[in-house]
Amino acid sequence: MSIKESELILNPDGSIYHLNLKPQNISNTIILVGDQDRVEKVTSHFDSIEFETQKREFKTQTGLYKGKRITVISTGIGPDNIDIVLNELDALVNIDFKTRQIKDKLTSLDIIRIGTSGALQDHIPVDSFIVSTHGLDINGMLHSYKIDAIRNTDIEEAFVQQTNWHPNKAYPIVIKGSLKLEKTFESEKVHKGLTATAGGFYGPQGRVLRLAIQDEELNSKMDNFNFNGVKIANFEMETSAIFGLAKLMGHEAISLNAVIANRVLGTFSKNPGTVIKNLIIYTLNKIT
């Protein structure tokens, strides 16, 4: 059965609706960044760029780095944008746009997030790197999909119990990242841990300006969460969505985080641009 036009939306030129991409425009190695200006900070290290396009916040460049073909895409902020990007990337490689049918042979992508983050442990300083072993979804987006086969209910239950999670909030979901990519990017100087993914920057991450939040103690509860040594290393807005959708679709995914703030100590990097640049170089060299 072919996929309806209202479900798989294509532009007049045959490209996928939001990303403005055709299948030949992307590599099987994808780097995701949030900020569209960060795309060129990655590709400035490339030997050459063969393709580029932009629609809304979704900017894409594909090129060669040390002979390896890599695609860099900006996602914008939040799990809702990740839902768009991951579904459309998967469609590009696993759906035939002419017949609108799922291909018999599926392609697995390597999806690598390079993002910024705030650490939730006092031993993880600003200007360091974190490799996410798991994504903790506290935003609810993944509940739209059938996720029972990929979630880690033991960690979820411990988190709900230890934080006294409010029943009116979306039930937490814990997804393991790609072990293959985790091994690729780990090193003695890189911290590892569970990454919490919120659906917003202010209240959902415990920040208070003028609005009172539902649980003023949530951040301290998350700081102290411990399940058999698994602790929450950092807080951001994309990782769990990437891990969950990638795993459902059969892709490999990992999240690499430049720590620009430590929420426990209240510190912020004096030069966040440098730590991001260093993480980009670290990532590219590990890929090749």
Side-chain angles (χ1 to χ4, degrees), residues 28-41:
N28 285 0
T29 300
I30 309 286
I31 292 176
L32 300 182
V33 296
D35 184 355
Q36 56 193 274
D37 292 337
R38 199 174 298 150
V39 172
E40 291 182 349
K41 291 179 181 177

Side-chain angles (χ1 to χ4, degrees), residues 28-205:
N28 285 0
T29 300
I30 309 286
I31 292 176
L32 300 182
V33 296
D35 184 355
Q36 56 193 274
D37 292 337
R38 199 174 298 150
V39 172
E40 291 182 349
K41 291 179 181 177
V42 178
T43 61
S44 65
H45 300 278
F46 284 15
D47 305 314
S48 61
I49 296 174
E50 68 180 64
F51 173 83
E52 58 184 315
T53 190
Q54 181 168 3
K55 185 176 179 182
R56 302 185 185 182
E57 61 266 57
F58 307 114
K59 182 174 184 177
T60 302
Q61 291 187 337
T62 297
L64 294 177
Y65 177 76
K66 295 183 178 179
K68 184 176 181 65
R69 190 169 184 252
I70 302 171
T71 294
V72 186
I73 302 176
S74 62
T75 65
I77 299 174
D80 51 343
N81 277 9
I82 296 300
D83 184 59
I84 292 172
V85 173
L86 265 289
N87 273 286
E88 294 196 0
L89 281 175
D90 181 75
L92 285 165
V93 295
N94 289 322
I95 297 175
D96 187 317
F97 283 7
K98 293 182 179 179
T99 65
R100 293 181 165 271
Q101 294 183 343
I102 299 172
K103 295 178 180 179
D104 294 331
K105 184 178 180 181
L106 299 180
T107 296
S108 178
L109 301 171
D110 283 348
I111 300 171
I112 303 149
R113 174 188 182 270
I114 298 178
T116 56
S117 184
L120 293 184
Q121 301 295 330
D122 58 11
H123 70 278
I124 302 178
V126 296
D127 302 333
S128 61
F129 305 155
I130 296 173
V131 173
S132 304
T133 59
H134 300 74
L136 166 62
D137 189 295
I138 58 172
N139 59 78
M141 189 276 288
L142 288 175
H143 281 293
S144 297
Y145 299 94
K146 293 184 177 181
I147 55 173
D148 287 349
I150 65 168
R151 62 194 304 175
N152 291 267
T153 56
D154 49 354
I155 306 178
E156 295 168 7
E157 291 169 1
F159 179 79
V160 168
Q161 182 178 21
Q162 291 183 34
T163 61
N164 193 26
W165 190 252
H166 197 283
N168 287 348
K169 292 183 177 181
Y171 196 89
I173 304 164
V174 176
I175 308 294
K176 182 81 173 71
S178 165
L179 188 58
K180 181 191 83 168
L181 292 180
E182 181 184 326
K183 291 181 180 297
T184 298
F185 291 102
E186 66 185 7
S187 71
E188 291 183 358
K189 65 179 182 180
V190 175
H191 300 272
K192 293 168 69 172
L194 185 152
T195 294
T197 299
F201 184 78
Y202 289 97
Q205 293 190 44

